[in-house]
Amino acid sequence: MRDNDSFGTSARRRRKFDDDDPTFVKRSSPSSEAAWDVVEEETGWSSWSAPGVQHGPAPFPDWVITEHAAKDTDRGVLKTGKEADVHLVERGVPGTDRRVLLAAKRYRAAEHRLFHRDSGYLEGRRVRESRVTRAMAGRTAFGREAIAGQWANAEFGALAQLWELGVCVPYPVQLLGTELMLQFIGDDDGTAAPRLAQTRPDLDLLADLWWQLVDALRVLARAGVAHGDLSPYNTLVHDGRLVIIDLPQIVDVVINPKGADFLARDVANMAKWFTGKGFPVDPEPLIVELLHDAGMRV
């Protein structure tokens, strides 16, 4: 999938992240209301050319707007969570029909942030400066800011790597500080693609989605990584394609002491959902295969 599709949830009210509330079901069909919050804020010139900005892998998809004359308009909150908020942003070139919807994932300021999952995922990651490492371990204000930067950089890097490997993930448009601009997976009116958890596929589509997932997991394993928090709540389905999202906690399977456990949990979580929907899956053979692909002894 290389179209401008969606990321996350579109709704008029603020929503939680997938890992915050596994019972949450997003609105899956368009309504007479706008698909985003009614508040619109023109944030000024596009940040594409801002100092320090990092861009996604080249060649850029045709829909990516790189013009200096482009402007960004915040269309409101798509979803909100403990670590970050995701906004719907329209980037367009005034006086033309050039426009695109993006998902802007903004990690929160240190005083409002709670990184509830980072202790296990950050094992095996290294930063150059020992003072930064100490601050991160001590959860000082500076350390929490550094952790935020690690999450944003890790997700940007993971998406860029997986995109180039052909995995179906949102294209990472740019990274500026702790704001990550992503391809929006959904429709032009701002209606987001549903999460896998809220879909009701027939058996044929269910089987196809499973094998799409297996193919993606094989690519990740051969690259030596695991999603680390994979579930039906952070995968989307759009035009019959399974799209993997939310990758800040991506895990190096070999370096991280718990890497094999994270990989196994990813597979088990997904296998349980598919089995419950009528497509029986035994996760164990796939776990063994993926660990072998990742270069681990089983």
Side-chain angles (χ1 to χ4, degrees):
M1 181 196 66
R2 289 295 183 266
D3 297 325
N4 179 41
D5 301 318
S6 113
F7 173 106
T9 293
S10 96
R12 288 177 63 84
R13 294 183 296 275
R14 293 165 68 85
R15 297 299 193 186
K16 294 183 177 181
F17 264 76
D18 306 334
D19 58 347
D20 293 339
D21 185 2
T23 64
F24 168 67
V25 176
K26 173 179 69 67
R27 187 181 70 200
S28 58
S29 58
S31 74
S32 58
E33 296 180 307
W36 47 67
D37 288 343
V38 294
V39 177
E40 297 181 5
E41 178 186 354
E42 187 174 291
T43 55
W45 300 111
S46 163
S47 56
W48 174 263
S49 301
V53 69
Q54 300 180 56
H55 297 140
F60 306 135
D62 291 342
W63 54 264
V64 174
I65 293 177
T66 63
E67 288 90 330
H68 291 285
K71 289 191 173 183
D72 290 347
T73 302
D74 193 324
R75 299 297 190 187
V77 177
L78 289 174
K79 61 179 181 177
T80 184
K82 295 177 181 178
E83 293 112 4
D85 292 332
V86 181
H87 289 240
L88 184 67
V89 172
E90 180 180 342
R91 176 168 291 174
V93 181
T96 76
D97 61 358
R98 287 273 287 159
R99 62 178 289 276
V100 67
L101 292 177
L102 302 173
K105 188 170 185 177
R106 298 167 183 167
Y107 284 90
R108 292 181 173 188
E111 64 271 20
H112 300 300
R113 181 183 300 130
L114 175 60
F115 288 95
H116 64 295
R117 301 173 299 177
D118 64 328
S119 58
Y121 295 109
L122 289 176
E123 291 188 60
R125 295 189 190 174
R126 296 290 181 265
V127 294
R128 292 184 178 180
E129 299 182 51
S130 59
R131 70 182 185 91
V132 177
T133 303
R134 291 194 299 270
M136 288 168 58
R139 297 306 189 271
T140 65
F142 173 72
R144 286 160 66 92
E145 200 67 31
I147 290 173
Q150 278 221 358
W151 284 119
N153 274 282
E155 183 161 26
F156 180 76
L159 288 169
Q161 177 189 18
L162 297 182
W163 173 271
E164 292 185 303
L165 290 173
V167 179
C168 201
V169 295
Y171 177 78
V173 176
Q174 66 180 63
L175 174 66
L176 182 59
T178 55
E179 179 186 74
L180 178 59
M181 288 277 202
L182 300 166
Q183 176 184 14
F184 177 74
I185 310 297
D187 301 330
D188 287 342
D189 66 355
T191 302
R195 305 173 188 186
L196 176 64
Q198 69 180 109
T199 63
R200 300 294 182 268
D202 59 32
L203 285 180
D204 287 342
L205 179 55
L206 199 62
D208 185 55
L209 292 172
W210 169 255
W211 291 114
Q212 288 183 46
L213 173 68
V214 170
D215 287 344
L217 291 175
R218 286 171 174 159
V219 175
L220 265 70
R222 290 165 189 162
V225 297
H227 184 286
D229 196 28
L230 193 59
S231 81
Y233 296 95
N234 51 29
T235 47
L236 306 177
V237 179
H238 188 262
D239 291 339
R241 294 291 291 156
L242 188 75
V243 185
I244 297 175
I245 63 170
D246 288 345
L247 285 145
Q249 71 293 309
I250 192 167
V251 171
D252 187 305
V253 177
V254 178
I255 294 178
N256 190 304
K258 300 176 183 176
D261 294 335
F262 283 125
L263 183 151
R265 188 179 68 181
D266 284 351
V267 176
N269 284 344
M270 299 302 285
K272 180 179 179 180
W273 186 86
F274 278 90
T275 297
K277 296 302 177 182
F279 186 74
V281 175
D282 180 4
E284 294 305 320
L286 180 57
I287 292 171
V288 171
E289 175 193 338
L290 295 177
L291 289 173
H292 179 269
D293 286 348
M296 301 190 69
R297 294 181 179 178
V298 215

